[in-house]
Amino acid sequence: MTMASNPLHGLWTLTDRELKKWYKAPVVLIVTLIQPIVWLAFFGKSMNMASIFTNGSVNIPGLNIPKQIIDQIAQAYLKSTFGTTDYFSFLAASMVAQITFFTAMNSGMSIVWDRRLGVLDKLLTTPVPRGSIIMGKVLNSVLRSLAQATIVLIIATLLGMKFNTSLTPLGFALSIVGVYAALTLLALGFSALYLTLALRSTNWQSQMAIINLLNMPLMFASNSFYPIKMMPWWLRPIAYINPLTYVNDVTRGLLLGISTFSVPMDFLYLAVFAIAFSAIGIVLSWRFLSEG
Amino acid sequence: MLGDSAIKAINLTKRYGPILAVDHINFEVKYGEVFGFLGPNGAGKTTTIKMLTTVTRPTEGTALVGGYDIVKQPAKVRESIGVVPQDFTSDEDLTGWENLMMIAGLYGIPKREAKERATELLDLVELSHAADRKVETYSGGMRRRLEIAMGLINRPRILFLDEPTLGLDAQTRAAIWSYVFRLKEQLGTTIFVTTHYLEEADQYCDRIAIIDHGKILAIGTPRDLKKVVGGDVVILQVAGNPETAVKVLQNIDGLSDVRIVEGFIRFKVSDGSRAAPLIFDVLSKAGVRVTSIAIKEPSMDEVFMEYTGHSLRDEWGSREEAMAMRRIVRTARR
């Protein structure tokens, strides 16, 4: 009876509990993968920017431009807009952040269920630190996100995602590690944020509402589908504070060789985001996880 | 370090908005005792347990549990207690075994020892056969038994049971009490239990506190509490207006506490069967016809009525009211 001094005590027990639910129910995994795969396969494969210019012929009366020139102009425009002529790879790179974001959002739900089903009542009577109750869920969400991101990356590659050709095998391996590090920070920050929002909630509907409220705007107010420079001026500030933007920049920078900011700066921003929200989550869980 | 008492509540108070759920209660529980908290739903039993087990902070006052202050040393308290809450708290997605191992992990019990204890406890609560089944497939009685095993995994010196037999059939209720008793006998565990089953409190508790509307009205052994009622309780039904009968009865020597409870006339007398003929006589002379009579040795129900002025059974009967009360409390908590 001397374990209460260790602040990490019980953390793995709680993480393991969450992970069990997941690897023992592959259906959950498959369902959460559907959305990014739909984006990739349906949207990514159809919204083929290059084919807008190169598919078929344009006939402007009075002008006779050879197809070759049109193609060259198109390539140049794509390159200057997206940093690559391969829009599919541009989009696919953002999908790993997307899946991480979705997974993190749902972690808030699990604490609502724990409260409703009484599990939380039990946890609160054990000597486990309150912070561990939250961080166990955060850690679960991180590990889950990384596993799902891996699957998304594999599927994207199968569908034709092309990586930076100048990468050596070692460089590629290091890039993947870098991407995972960025995803870890993103998952940490977002799951801590959503869990904090759910600390006192017993109502899963309101939690769903919060998720849906933030889901679309954060997705579209980021560089996931288009570069920030294409956005109207009033949307740009949101994109610039949106952590998704920076993870996408890391992924594209490391895997595709196109980075708008600089990768170290991206990491700095993500680290601040992750640490700040984890700290807020831990502090508030001591205060608010218990009743009154 | 142990001190004299397992639990000592000092002006323990909990307020939810305008509702005083627990109102400055004081009591002591000795080591090795089975201490019952008896009262209707909404009386403040669960709130008291939640405060004693550090799930909820008291608004005012405090308590010592296992010698530790629930407000100042909640971590110490949590290490020395086991809790079986009223609601089911096991994780439905996991098996019974996994639930036990998880709770063991939270108490920092080493894996090997946890396995030993889990095996032993599942055997004790007769769930060994269902250990590897998901909890969502368990029946109510099985879940309750698993909850008890979970509450015992850390070998607590003090065990809190909140309505451990609520909603269970008589057979399972008896089985659960026999587990509780075994704990007390074999391990010397102090047990704090809340219940609204009068018979259970009477039969199994060393001492009982009667709580109603957040206040403790009496504390004592079941025998002492019954003694307070004094003699037998007689319940009469008369044709016509009971008020007239009450007036007549109030003038008879040896009868005390004559009143009308839910249409019946109720009074106390030292020896009910001897007094009955005399009472018939006096009443018929006064023109009152007795339609039925019941003479009862005091039960916990009588004790409860003595202190609260109402029957616990009726209170429990008006379930609607209790549920409404709970809803109010829940809303106030938000």
Side-chain angles (χ1 to χ4, degrees), chain B residues 75-97:
Chain B
K76 288 277 182 198
V77 171
R78 286 176 204 131
E79 280 179 37
S80 45
I81 61 171
V83 188
V84 182
Q86 182 176 343
D87 302 317
F88 291 138
T89 63
S90 46
D91 191 330
E92 294 183 2
D93 297 329
L94 304 181
T95 66
W97 177 264

PDB file of all heavy atoms in Angstrom, chain B residues 75-97:
ATOM      1  N   ALA B  75      -6.175  10.170  -0.855  1.00  0.00           N
ATOM      2  CA  ALA B  75      -5.400   9.082  -1.467  1.00  0.00           C
ATOM      3  C   ALA B  75      -5.169   7.952  -0.459  1.00  0.00           C
ATOM      4  O   ALA B  75      -5.289   6.776  -0.789  1.00  0.00           O
ATOM      5  CB  ALA B  75      -4.076   9.607  -2.000  1.00  0.00           C
ATOM      6  N   LYS B  76      -4.874   8.333   0.784  1.00  0.00           N
ATOM      7  CA  LYS B  76      -4.654   7.341   1.846  1.00  0.00           C
ATOM      8  C   LYS B  76      -5.937   6.561   2.120  1.00  0.00           C
ATOM      9  O   LYS B  76      -5.907   5.351   2.340  1.00  0.00           O
ATOM     10  CB  LYS B  76      -4.211   8.045   3.133  1.00  0.00           C
ATOM     11  CG  LYS B  76      -2.801   8.588   3.058  1.00  0.00           C
ATOM     12  CD  LYS B  76      -1.828   7.467   3.368  1.00  0.00           C
ATOM     13  CE  LYS B  76      -0.394   7.963   3.348  1.00  0.00           C
ATOM     14  NZ  LYS B  76       0.541   6.847   3.229  1.00  0.00           N
ATOM     15  N   VAL B  77      -7.043   7.283   2.117  1.00  0.00           N
ATOM     16  CA  VAL B  77      -8.333   6.628   2.360  1.00  0.00           C
ATOM     17  C   VAL B  77      -8.593   5.589   1.278  1.00  0.00           C
ATOM     18  O   VAL B  77      -8.914   4.435   1.567  1.00  0.00           O
ATOM     19  CB  VAL B  77      -9.479   7.666   2.397  1.00  0.00           C
ATOM     20  CG1 VAL B  77     -10.834   6.971   2.430  1.00  0.00           C
ATOM     21  CG2 VAL B  77      -9.327   8.589   3.593  1.00  0.00           C
ATOM     22  N   ARG B  78      -8.378   5.994   0.023  1.00  0.00           N
ATOM     23  CA  ARG B  78      -8.675   5.099  -1.105  1.00  0.00           C
ATOM     24  C   ARG B  78      -7.870   3.814  -1.033  1.00  0.00           C
ATOM     25  O   ARG B  78      -8.322   2.764  -1.468  1.00  0.00           O
ATOM     26  CB  ARG B  78      -8.384   5.818  -2.427  1.00  0.00           C
ATOM     27  CG  ARG B  78      -9.418   6.849  -2.762  1.00  0.00           C
ATOM     28  CD  ARG B  78      -9.047   7.617  -4.017  1.00  0.00           C
ATOM     29  NE  ARG B  78      -9.712   8.918  -3.995  1.00  0.00           N
ATOM     30  CZ  ARG B  78      -9.114  10.070  -4.223  1.00  0.00           C
ATOM     31  NH1 ARG B  78      -7.834  10.106  -4.531  1.00  0.00           N
ATOM     32  NH2 ARG B  78      -9.793  11.187  -4.161  1.00  0.00           N
ATOM     33  N   GLU B  79      -6.647   3.906  -0.508  1.00  0.00           N
ATOM     34  CA  GLU B  79      -5.821   2.706  -0.437  1.00  0.00           C
ATOM     35  C   GLU B  79      -6.353   1.709   0.578  1.00  0.00           C
ATOM     36  O   GLU B  79      -6.127   0.515   0.439  1.00  0.00           O
ATOM     37  CB  GLU B  79      -4.388   3.081  -0.055  1.00  0.00           C
ATOM     38  CG  GLU B  79      -3.590   3.606  -1.230  1.00  0.00           C
ATOM     39  CD  GLU B  79      -2.189   4.002  -0.827  1.00  0.00           C
ATOM     40  OE1 GLU B  79      -1.598   3.312   0.020  1.00  0.00           O
ATOM     41  OE2 GLU B  79      -1.689   5.011  -1.346  1.00  0.00           O
ATOM     42  N   SER B  80      -7.032   2.209   1.606  1.00  0.00           N
ATOM     43  CA  SER B  80      -7.402   1.274   2.671  1.00  0.00           C
ATOM     44  C   SER B  80      -8.847   0.795   2.601  1.00  0.00           C
ATOM     45  O   SER B  80      -9.265  -0.001   3.429  1.00  0.00           O
ATOM     46  CB  SER B  80      -7.124   1.918   4.037  1.00  0.00           C
ATOM     47  OG  SER B  80      -7.580   3.235   4.053  1.00  0.00           O
ATOM     48  N   ILE B  81      -9.587   1.257   1.605  1.00  0.00           N
ATOM     49  CA  ILE B  81     -10.994   0.851   1.536  1.00  0.00           C
ATOM     50  C   ILE B  81     -11.300   0.039   0.284  1.00  0.00           C
ATOM     51  O   ILE B  81     -10.571   0.085  -0.696  1.00  0.00           O
ATOM     52  CB  ILE B  81     -11.945   2.072   1.564  1.00  0.00           C
ATOM     53  CG1 ILE B  81     -11.679   2.986   0.359  1.00  0.00           C
ATOM     54  CG2 ILE B  81     -11.813   2.809   2.876  1.00  0.00           C
ATOM     55  CD1 ILE B  81     -12.695   4.083   0.184  1.00  0.00           C
ATOM     56  N   GLY B  82     -12.402  -0.691   0.359  1.00  0.00           N
ATOM     57  CA  GLY B  82     -12.972  -1.328  -0.813  1.00  0.00           C
ATOM     58  C   GLY B  82     -14.382  -0.790  -0.972  1.00  0.00           C
ATOM     59  O   GLY B  82     -15.047  -0.491   0.019  1.00  0.00           O
ATOM     60  N   VAL B  83     -14.825  -0.628  -2.211  1.00  0.00           N
ATOM     61  CA  VAL B  83     -16.133  -0.028  -2.425  1.00  0.00           C
ATOM     62  C   VAL B  83     -16.943  -0.864  -3.401  1.00  0.00           C
ATOM     63  O   VAL B  83     -16.446  -1.252  -4.451  1.00  0.00           O
ATOM     64  CB  VAL B  83     -16.002   1.403  -2.999  1.00  0.00           C
ATOM     65  CG1 VAL B  83     -17.359   2.078  -3.034  1.00  0.00           C
ATOM     66  CG2 VAL B  83     -15.016   2.226  -2.205  1.00  0.00           C
ATOM     67  N   VAL B  84     -18.182  -1.141  -3.027  1.00  0.00           N
ATOM     68  CA  VAL B  84     -19.114  -1.749  -3.954  1.00  0.00           C
ATOM     69  C   VAL B  84     -20.265  -0.759  -4.128  1.00  0.00           C
ATOM     70  O   VAL B  84     -21.171  -0.714  -3.313  1.00  0.00           O
ATOM     71  CB  VAL B  84     -19.638  -3.100  -3.426  1.00  0.00           C
ATOM     72  CG1 VAL B  84     -20.578  -3.732  -4.441  1.00  0.00           C
ATOM     73  CG2 VAL B  84     -18.482  -4.040  -3.123  1.00  0.00           C
ATOM     74  N   PRO B  85     -20.194   0.076  -5.157  1.00  0.00           N
ATOM     75  CA  PRO B  85     -21.224   1.106  -5.319  1.00  0.00           C
ATOM     76  C   PRO B  85     -22.582   0.501  -5.671  1.00  0.00           C
ATOM     77  O   PRO B  85     -22.672  -0.657  -6.058  1.00  0.00           O
ATOM     78  CB  PRO B  85     -20.712   1.966  -6.479  1.00  0.00           C
ATOM     79  CG  PRO B  85     -19.295   1.574  -6.697  1.00  0.00           C
ATOM     80  CD  PRO B  85     -19.186   0.167  -6.218  1.00  0.00           C
ATOM     81  N   GLN B  86     -23.588   1.327  -5.546  1.00  0.00           N
ATOM     82  CA  GLN B  86     -24.953   0.868  -5.798  1.00  0.00           C
ATOM     83  C   GLN B  86     -25.163   0.541  -7.272  1.00  0.00           C
ATOM     84  O   GLN B  86     -25.769  -0.460  -7.614  1.00  0.00           O
ATOM     85  CB  GLN B  86     -25.920   1.974  -5.365  1.00  0.00           C
ATOM     86  CG  GLN B  86     -27.363   1.597  -5.534  1.00  0.00           C
ATOM     87  CD  GLN B  86     -28.265   2.681  -4.992  1.00  0.00           C
ATOM     88  OE1 GLN B  86     -27.854   3.549  -4.237  1.00  0.00           O
ATOM     89  NE2 GLN B  86     -29.506   2.654  -5.387  1.00  0.00           N
ATOM     90  N   ASP B  87     -24.639   1.394  -8.144  1.00  0.00           N
ATOM     91  CA  ASP B  87     -24.781   1.140  -9.571  1.00  0.00           C
ATOM     92  C   ASP B  87     -23.699   0.159  -9.996  1.00  0.00           C
ATOM     93  O   ASP B  87     -22.653   0.073  -9.376  1.00  0.00           O
ATOM     94  CB  ASP B  87     -24.611   2.442 -10.360  1.00  0.00           C
ATOM     95  CG  ASP B  87     -25.618   3.483  -9.913  1.00  0.00           C
ATOM     96  OD1 ASP B  87     -26.789   3.120  -9.727  1.00  0.00           O
ATOM     97  OD2 ASP B  87     -25.214   4.644  -9.732  1.00  0.00           O
ATOM     98  N   PHE B  88     -23.978  -0.555 -11.074  1.00  0.00           N
ATOM     99  CA  PHE B  88     -22.938  -1.436 -11.604  1.00  0.00           C
ATOM    100  C   PHE B  88     -21.795  -0.592 -12.140  1.00  0.00           C
ATOM    101  O   PHE B  88     -22.019   0.419 -12.798  1.00  0.00           O
ATOM    102  CB  PHE B  88     -23.507  -2.304 -12.724  1.00  0.00           C
ATOM    103  CG  PHE B  88     -24.492  -3.320 -12.230  1.00  0.00           C
ATOM    104  CD1 PHE B  88     -25.659  -3.568 -12.924  1.00  0.00           C
ATOM    105  CD2 PHE B  88     -24.243  -4.023 -11.062  1.00  0.00           C
ATOM    106  CE1 PHE B  88     -26.569  -4.510 -12.470  1.00  0.00           C
ATOM    107  CE2 PHE B  88     -25.145  -4.964 -10.603  1.00  0.00           C
ATOM    108  CZ  PHE B  88     -26.315  -5.206 -11.307  1.00  0.00           C
ATOM    109  N   THR B  89     -20.579  -1.016 -11.850  1.00  0.00           N
ATOM    110  CA  THR B  89     -19.430  -0.218 -12.270  1.00  0.00           C
ATOM    111  C   THR B  89     -18.422  -1.010 -13.091  1.00  0.00           C
ATOM    112  O   THR B  89     -17.402  -0.479 -13.482  1.00  0.00           O
ATOM    113  CB  THR B  89     -18.676   0.330 -11.042  1.00  0.00           C
ATOM    114  OG1 THR B  89     -18.170  -0.774 -10.304  1.00  0.00           O
ATOM    115  CG2 THR B  89     -19.565   1.162 -10.174  1.00  0.00           C
ATOM    116  N   SER B  90     -18.705  -2.283 -13.318  1.00  0.00           N
ATOM    117  CA  SER B  90     -17.738  -3.064 -14.095  1.00  0.00           C
ATOM    118  C   SER B  90     -17.840  -2.666 -15.566  1.00  0.00           C
ATOM    119  O   SER B  90     -18.854  -2.162 -16.013  1.00  0.00           O
ATOM    120  CB  SER B  90     -17.993  -4.551 -13.908  1.00  0.00           C
ATOM    121  OG  SER B  90     -19.361  -4.826 -14.025  1.00  0.00           O
ATOM    122  N   ASP B  91     -16.760  -2.914 -16.281  1.00  0.00           N
ATOM    123  CA  ASP B  91     -16.715  -2.567 -17.694  1.00  0.00           C
ATOM    124  C   ASP B  91     -17.358  -3.693 -18.498  1.00  0.00           C
ATOM    125  O   ASP B  91     -16.835  -4.797 -18.558  1.00  0.00           O
ATOM    126  CB  ASP B  91     -15.256  -2.357 -18.114  1.00  0.00           C
ATOM    127  CG  ASP B  91     -15.161  -1.734 -19.487  1.00  0.00           C
ATOM    128  OD1 ASP B  91     -16.066  -1.986 -20.313  1.00  0.00           O
ATOM    129  OD2 ASP B  91     -14.192  -0.999 -19.736  1.00  0.00           O
ATOM    130  N   GLU B  92     -18.482  -3.384 -19.125  1.00  0.00           N
ATOM    131  CA  GLU B  92     -19.256  -4.419 -19.820  1.00  0.00           C
ATOM    132  C   GLU B  92     -18.514  -5.033 -20.989  1.00  0.00           C
ATOM    133  O   GLU B  92     -18.803  -6.149 -21.390  1.00  0.00           O
ATOM    134  CB  GLU B  92     -20.559  -3.810 -20.350  1.00  0.00           C
ATOM    135  CG  GLU B  92     -21.483  -3.364 -19.255  1.00  0.00           C
ATOM    136  CD  GLU B  92     -22.785  -2.823 -19.805  1.00  0.00           C
ATOM    137  OE1 GLU B  92     -22.966  -2.832 -21.035  1.00  0.00           O
ATOM    138  OE2 GLU B  92     -23.622  -2.385 -19.002  1.00  0.00           O
ATOM    139  N   ASP B  93     -17.593  -4.287 -21.555  1.00  0.00           N
ATOM    140  CA  ASP B  93     -16.890  -4.786 -22.738  1.00  0.00           C
ATOM    141  C   ASP B  93     -15.778  -5.763 -22.383  1.00  0.00           C
ATOM    142  O   ASP B  93     -15.224  -6.406 -23.262  1.00  0.00           O
ATOM    143  CB  ASP B  93     -16.270  -3.622 -23.520  1.00  0.00           C
ATOM    144  CG  ASP B  93     -17.336  -2.686 -24.051  1.00  0.00           C
ATOM    145  OD1 ASP B  93     -18.446  -3.176 -24.335  1.00  0.00           O
ATOM    146  OD2 ASP B  93     -17.075  -1.485 -24.169  1.00  0.00           O
ATOM    147  N   LEU B  94     -15.441  -5.822 -21.111  1.00  0.00           N
ATOM    148  CA  LEU B  94     -14.380  -6.729 -20.699  1.00  0.00           C
ATOM    149  C   LEU B  94     -14.979  -7.948 -20.005  1.00  0.00           C
ATOM    150  O   LEU B  94     -16.138  -7.942 -19.609  1.00  0.00           O
ATOM    151  CB  LEU B  94     -13.415  -6.022 -19.738  1.00  0.00           C
ATOM    152  CG  LEU B  94     -12.754  -4.731 -20.235  1.00  0.00           C
ATOM    153  CD1 LEU B  94     -11.826  -4.177 -19.168  1.00  0.00           C
ATOM    154  CD2 LEU B  94     -11.992  -4.957 -21.520  1.00  0.00           C
ATOM    155  N   THR B  95     -14.162  -8.974 -19.823  1.00  0.00           N
ATOM    156  CA  THR B  95     -14.634 -10.164 -19.110  1.00  0.00           C
ATOM    157  C   THR B  95     -14.534  -9.908 -17.607  1.00  0.00           C
ATOM    158  O   THR B  95     -13.926  -8.929 -17.167  1.00  0.00           O
ATOM    159  CB  THR B  95     -13.764 -11.389 -19.450  1.00  0.00           C
ATOM    160  OG1 THR B  95     -12.457 -11.160 -18.927  1.00  0.00           O
ATOM    161  CG2 THR B  95     -13.685 -11.620 -20.944  1.00  0.00           C
ATOM    162  N   GLY B  96     -15.134 -10.798 -16.835  1.00  0.00           N
ATOM    163  CA  GLY B  96     -15.064 -10.679 -15.379  1.00  0.00           C
ATOM    164  C   GLY B  96     -13.617 -10.696 -14.910  1.00  0.00           C
ATOM    165  O   GLY B  96     -13.205  -9.895 -14.072  1.00  0.00           O
ATOM    166  N   TRP B  97     -12.850 -11.588 -15.485  1.00  0.00           N
ATOM    167  CA  TRP B  97     -11.436 -11.716 -15.141  1.00  0.00           C
ATOM    168  C   TRP B  97     -10.691 -10.412 -15.453  1.00  0.00           C
ATOM    169  O   TRP B  97      -9.953  -9.894 -14.617  1.00  0.00           O
ATOM    170  CB  TRP B  97     -10.819 -12.886 -15.913  1.00  0.00           C
ATOM    171  CG  TRP B  97      -9.358 -13.061 -15.690  1.00  0.00           C
ATOM    172  CD1 TRP B  97      -8.357 -12.588 -16.480  1.00  0.00           C
ATOM    173  CD2 TRP B  97      -8.729 -13.711 -14.584  1.00  0.00           C
ATOM    174  NE1 TRP B  97      -7.138 -12.911 -15.939  1.00  0.00           N
ATOM    175  CE2 TRP B  97      -7.333 -13.612 -14.776  1.00  0.00           C
ATOM    176  CE3 TRP B  97      -9.211 -14.370 -13.440  1.00  0.00           C
ATOM    177  CZ2 TRP B  97      -6.418 -14.133 -13.884  1.00  0.00           C
ATOM    178  CZ3 TRP B  97      -8.279 -14.898 -12.549  1.00  0.00           C
ATOM    179  CH2 TRP B  97      -6.904 -14.783 -12.774  1.00  0.00           C
TER     180      TRP B  97
END
